[in-house]
Amino acid sequence: MKIRENCKYALVVPTSMGVRITPPNGQPVASANMFMMQATSAETNVASISSYLGLPTKVLTTFVKDSPIADFIKRDLRSRGMDYEGKDVEQGGPWGYRHQFNIADSGYGSRGPRVCNDRAGEVGRTLNIKDFDLDRIFGQEGVGILHLSGLIGALSHDTSIFCLELARAAKKYGTLISFDLNYRASFWKGREQELHDIFTEIASVADILIGNEEDFQLCLGVQGPEAGGKDIASKIESFKEMIKRVKAQFSNASVFATTLRQVENVNSHLWGAIMLAGDEWQVVEPRRINVLDRIGGGDGFVGGMLYAILKGWEPEKWIQFGWASGALATTFLTDYAQPADEDVVWSVWGGNARVKR
């Protein structure tokens, strides 16, 4: 997989930024009186692997003008080493625009986590292609990989067109396109045909396609794996057959990936992954990992895989670094991993949790 040379940015992500508030120590929201607040979005979760490991990344988004939450988000992105570009939108009064709130707890043991997305008046839904100079971003500055997510792609009609036009511009200038389908039923309600058509066009030009069985089936109409059995490892061959069907329909892509997760309890998961790169299968059989907070593990996998591709490593390392980055993300209270260096990630892959002095 050839990465475009002499790019200012290794990775660019469009996104709708918000904040996540979480009670400490795995406590439920209803019984908590203290919360940790962090800036968040699925797409910047992905980009964080590359940004913390020193690759130049850029966020395309939009902000509420003069909002203290917008200022909090901008400071956070700068602290992660990310450039950002986006319009400041007038709030329009107290009932106008704002950044989304993700209200969550991590769960504990047999009590599963609960997440409430409060997205009324979300400013990210106004993302519009006319507010960005695509010829400058992709032509003059240059981008190695454009990563798109179905979350931002389905947020509104404007964001759907935004992602589609980004994909077309990336294709024009030789930028690789990564597309994580991320199906959400509530986002698709009443727009099923429109979103199916847009997602299908983006998938048809993508170089890297990522999704689980629900994503491929409900976004693109590709038959999922056979049902049956609680053991995720027993479904690997069925997942491979699904990926073969996706490849037959979307032949422009050369990399297809999905994660495997079996929840034993909130703090113990079996975590694996499957990737088809060219004609070669790469499989990480599900391994037990200890989980502090599961949110962001899938984004960590994608971020690690894209980092490995950007570094020009062999495909075997793409899935290994992705698996380990996803496992690493579940050990953080933030919903994104913050690797100090590559060795931290490889130590997770190697199962080496010994102290390093």
Side-chain angles (χ1 to χ4, degrees):
M1 179 166 286
K2 185 173 176 57
I3 304 293
R4 182 182 167 189
E5 296 179 352
N6 302 316
C7 293
K8 182 175 181 179
Y9 295 105
L11 184 64
V12 164
V13 297
T15 193
S16 173
M17 294 299 304
V19 292
R20 181 182 189 230
I21 57 173
T22 312
N25 304 317
Q27 291 302 293
V29 169
S31 63
N33 56 15
M34 294 181 62
F35 293 83
M36 181 186 84
M37 186 170 81
Q38 61 156 109
T40 187
S41 78
E43 298 78 22
T44 52
N45 290 352
V46 170
S48 285
I49 302 296
S50 287
S51 68
Y52 274 102
L53 294 178
L55 294 184
T57 62
K58 188 171 192 176
V59 177
L60 306 180
T61 190
T62 190
F63 301 99
V64 177
K65 187 176 181 180
D66 298 326
S67 162
I69 298 297
D71 187 54
F72 175 84
I73 291 168
K74 290 176 181 179
R75 291 172 185 269
D76 178 84
L77 293 176
R78 289 194 294 268
S79 76
R80 291 195 243 174
M82 296 179 180
D83 288 352
Y84 58 81
E85 178 177 339
K87 181 180 179 181
D88 287 313
V89 177
E90 293 284 352
Q91 181 185 10
W95 293 276
Y97 291 118
R98 65 177 174 86
H99 291 276
Q100 58 152 311
F101 269 72
N102 180 278
I103 307 164
D105 71 67
S106 303
Y108 188 82
S110 59
R111 175 174 52 80
R114 290 191 171 188
V115 178
C116 173
N117 288 301
D118 185 355
R119 310 188 75 139
E122 183 172 350
V123 69
R125 300 185 77 236
T126 70
L127 271 167
N128 196 298
I129 199 66
K130 65 181 175 57
D131 296 325
F132 297 86
D133 184 346
L134 301 190
D135 290 326
R136 171 179 54 80
I137 294 169
F138 292 100
Q140 298 170 30
E141 295 177 345
V143 179
I145 295 178
L146 168 70
H147 175 68
L148 301 171
S149 162
L151 296 176
I152 186 69
L155 197 58
S156 70
H157 175 74
D158 282 344
T159 65
S160 301
I161 299 303
F162 181 56
C163 289
L164 181 58
E165 291 299 331
L166 286 174
R168 289 170 175 169
K171 187 72 173 178
K172 173 183 174 182
Y173 285 106
T175 293
L176 295 181
I177 301 167
S178 166
F179 189 24
D180 187 352
L181 296 167
N182 267 328
Y183 174 82
R184 294 292 186 275
S186 57
F187 287 17
W188 279 61
K189 188 175 181 180
R191 301 180 63 209
E192 289 83 359
Q193 189 59 53
E194 174 196 2
L195 289 176
H196 170 77
D197 293 345
I198 289 173
F199 275 49
T200 297
E201 181 172 347
I202 295 174
S204 70
V205 298
D207 301 279
I208 303 161
L209 276 175
I210 305 137
N212 61 28
E213 65 275 26
E214 183 180 64
D215 295 334
F216 286 121
Q217 191 161 296
L218 298 178
C219 292
L220 304 178
V222 178
Q223 180 185 343
E226 295 179 8
K230 291 186 177 181
D231 179 8
I232 193 68
S234 67
K235 296 184 178 182
I236 287 177
E237 291 306 315
S238 292
F239 276 91
K240 284 185 175 181
E241 290 302 317
M242 175 190 71
I243 291 174
K244 288 178 184 177
R245 291 190 288 270
V246 176
K247 181 178 181 179
Q249 189 169 335
F250 298 94
S251 57
N252 183 76
S254 57
V255 178
F256 305 83
T258 188
T259 55
L260 306 170
R261 187 198 300 264
Q262 183 175 331
V263 177
E264 296 181 316
N265 63 62
V266 167
N267 308 107
S268 178
H269 295 183
L270 298 178
W271 178 243
I274 304 172
M275 183 183 76
L276 178 61
D279 295 319
E280 297 294 324
W281 289 103
Q282 304 291 339
V283 177
V284 178
E285 295 276 349
R287 293 160 52 181
R288 182 168 287 103
I289 61 172
N290 296 315
V291 176
L292 181 62
D293 187 330
R294 68 168 285 169
I295 304 300
D299 296 329
F301 169 80
V302 177
M305 184 179 70
L306 295 184
Y307 176 82
I309 291 172
L310 286 163
K311 293 290 285 186
W313 298 343
E314 293 300 311
E316 181 182 19
K317 290 189 174 182
W318 299 354
I319 193 171
Q320 292 174 354
F321 203 80
W323 181 93
S325 294
L328 178 66
T330 68
T331 69
F332 281 82
L333 291 176
T334 52
D335 57 1
Y336 54 86
Q338 304 174 49
D341 49 39
E342 291 178 3
D343 186 58
V344 169
V345 182
W346 285 122
S347 292
V348 173
W349 169 252
N352 178 14
R354 294 176 63 85
V355 63
K356 185 172 182 178
R357 302 184 189 277

